[in-house]
Structures are given as structure tokens and as C-alpha cells.
Amino acid sequence: MDGVQDKRRYVIGSLEELSELYKKPTPPTLLKQTDCITPPGRALIAASPLIMMATAGPDGVDCSPKGDAPGFVQVLDDRTLLIPDRPGNNRLDGMKNILANPKVGIIFMVPGANITYRVNGHAEISVDPDLLARFEVNGKLPRSVLVVTVEEAFNHCPKAFVRSKVWQAAAAGPLEGTPTHGDFVAHRDGGDADYAAEYNEKYKHRLPNELY
């Protein structure tokens, strides 16, 4: 117990301690933040096929990927984004959070580009037929559309992507030993490697029909 208490001495617990540990952001870092989508931000959103969206509610936090063809997130106007909800696992963690706490954080990514665009705001879940119709694919509509009102937007520093070399690594394919979807299912069900391989093969053929 004494050892645990001793380690607590190293935990940052106040804004003052945090300010002492980290230097203040430079003026350009602060000036890049806007309360609307800028023209460069609009262009990056149009090029982005993948976002990460974070939400928080009384039962916890959620960070989920959402993706489709580049530009699948539409800019309705400089302060409004539309995000279709495509078929997923139906856990609805993020949706439930939004009902309790509409605050969302979104990061837009473009493969091969180290720059990202970050948007913070609040979201509503809409089933407006006109909005659903904007996202029809192969005759199928999304179940709902998230309408995000932008409160903060800014481009994000590329250092994390540079350090991780994520796009270079992606070109080479997954690292040897990276678990597959089937590996997680096999672990859940108590299956072996053959069980995982069989699941992956079936899922590969099933997936194209479940995207929309």
C-alpha cells in the first residue's frame, strides 16, 4: 500500500501542475482554431473516407470509426455536418451517448496524408427523409443521419502520423501476427485457429452484402 501511495506523488492532479509540465501553445496553434468549417477544412472533409468519432455518456465513453467513399460526410453549411449511419454492430454505444450528452469529437483522416482535421460540436440523430435520401447507396438508405453543429474546428499537427509511419506501414500490409476478426471471434467462442480461418472465409463473402 505504501508503494501505491508513493507512486501517487507522480500523478498530475491540477491545472497548475499541468501548466508547469507543458509549455504554452504558440499563437499560431491557437489562431488555427475556428468556430466553422474553413475552405481547406471543407476540402479535407471531401477527401476523407474515414473518421473517428468520440462520444461520452453516463455509461462511459465511445470512440468509433465511420467510413465510406471519400466525402461521405457532407458539409451542409460552414457550421453543419451530416454523417450517415451505415450498418454496424448495432451496439449503439455512440448513439446512446449522444441522446444523453450531444457533445462529439471527430477526426477526419485521408490515407497517405499526415494532416488531419478535428471538429468538436454537438450532434442530433435525425430520420428526416430528405436527409436520408442524400445518402442513398445502391437503393439503400442509412437508418439515421447525425447532424453535427460545429463549435470548434482546426487542422491537427501531423507528428503522430510521422512518428508512427502509419501510411508507409499500410502499404506493406498488416504486421505478421496481427489478429484478424476471426481470431477475436475464436477467442470469444473458445475456438482454435481453424475456427478463426473458417470464420474469416465466410465473413469475407458475407461482408459485401452487409455494407449498406
Side-chain angles (χ1 to χ4, degrees), residues 58-70:
D59 296 325
V61 298
D62 179 69
C63 186
S64 297
K66 295 183 181 296
D68 207 330

Side-chain angles (χ1 to χ4, degrees), residues 42 73-82 131 134 147:
R42 184 184 284 261
V73 175
Q74 295 184 11
V75 181
L76 184 63
D77 58 53
D78 289 348
R79 287 184 170 82
T80 312
L81 301 178
L82 303 176
L131 293 184
R134 297 173 68 108
V147 182

Side-chain angles (χ1 to χ4, degrees), residues 74 127-137 140-142 145:
Q74 295 184 11
V127 291
D128 182 332
D130 290 336
L131 293 184
L132 298 179
R134 297 173 68 108
F135 296 99
E136 180 179 345
V137 175
K140 297 181 179 180
L141 302 176
V145 173

Side-chain angles (χ1 to χ4, degrees), residues 68-190:
D68 207 330
F72 77 100
V73 175
Q74 295 184 11
V75 181
L76 184 63
D77 58 53
D78 289 348
R79 287 184 170 82
T80 312
L81 301 178
L82 303 176
I83 306 174
D85 189 60
R86 301 299 186 190
N89 55 26
N90 285 339
R91 284 178 55 97
L92 304 180
D93 296 313
M95 296 286 197
K96 293 174 184 176
N97 284 344
I98 287 170
L99 291 177
N101 172 15
K103 294 289 187 180
V104 297
I106 305 167
I107 292 183
F108 291 86
M109 292 177 284
V110 177
N114 290 330
I115 195 71
T116 60
Y117 196 56
R118 180 170 163 180
V119 174
N120 298 322
H122 63 270
E124 295 177 336
I125 305 168
S126 176
V127 291
D128 182 332
D130 290 336
L131 293 184
L132 298 179
R134 297 173 68 108
F135 296 99
E136 180 179 345
V137 175
N138 299 332
K140 297 181 179 180
L141 302 176
R143 284 289 184 88
S144 63
V145 173
L146 294 179
V147 182
V148 178
T149 299
V150 177
E151 295 172 349
E152 299 175 335
F154 52 93
N155 62 291
H156 220 288
C157 142
K159 294 186 182 71
F161 287 82
V162 174
R163 285 191 294 257
S164 67
K165 298 181 175 64
V166 62
W167 304 128
Q168 296 93 316
L175 290 173
E176 184 178 353
T178 300
T180 65
H181 192 37
D183 290 324
F184 282 97
V185 172
H187 176 78
R188 179 197 67 194
D189 297 345

